[in-house]
Amino acid sequence: MSSNLFAAMDRMEHYHGIQALNIDDTVFLVKDPNNRTDHQAIKVVIPPIGTVGYIVNDPVIVPHGCWAGSGFYDVFHQQTCAKVRFAMKDMIIVELIEMVHVPIPQMESWITSWQSREKA
């Protein structure tokens, strides 16, 4: 990737809290088109923990220098990767490191089963 693309994540308090993430952790960004409040929602997932937050998609709270989730939602297939770069009191900033389908063994089946469990 020629330029850095940063996004903020929040709502971590609804899952495992900000303490579940450390600088340089790799996380997966997974589209969540069935989200009732945001049809361009992007979950932040750490296998095997599961969802740890969402990419901010509200232009009012997106930090300066970060993209809203809707800004890059259509750039990747179902999932992509990011690295945790900064941690603040209630928000994490991630840098996208892949903008294509992530070919990780068993990741597709893991995400499919995880999405099925969340719908149940």
Side-chain angles (χ1 to χ4, degrees), residues 26-87:
T26 299
V27 296
F28 293 91
L29 307 183
V30 182
K31 290 182 179 181
D32 186 12
N34 298 322
N35 187 297
R36 289 179 252 198
T37 59
D38 180 2
H39 295 293
Q40 290 184 313
I42 301 172
K43 286 185 179 189
V44 180
V45 178
I46 300 175
I49 295 173
T51 303
V52 292
Y54 276 82
I55 295 297
V56 175
N57 207 16
D58 181 348
V60 174
I61 61 172
V62 172
H64 180 72
C66 291
W67 285 65
S70 60
F72 61 89
Y73 185 87
D74 292 327
V75 177
F76 62 96
H77 176 61
Q78 174 61 26
Q79 71 215 13
T80 193
C81 286
K83 284 268 190 196
V84 174
R85 294 300 187 205
F86 306 99

Side-chain angles (χ1 to χ4, degrees), residues 3-35:
S3 62
N4 298 3
L5 178 61
F6 294 97
M9 65 178 280
D10 67 353
R11 294 192 263 170
M12 292 158 297
E13 69 278 4
H14 300 293
Y15 300 98
H16 303 282
I18 200 165
Q19 65 275 8
L21 298 160
N22 297 299
I23 303 299
D24 288 329
D25 280 355
T26 299
V27 296
F28 293 91
L29 307 183
V30 182
K31 290 182 179 181
D32 186 12
N34 298 322
N35 187 297

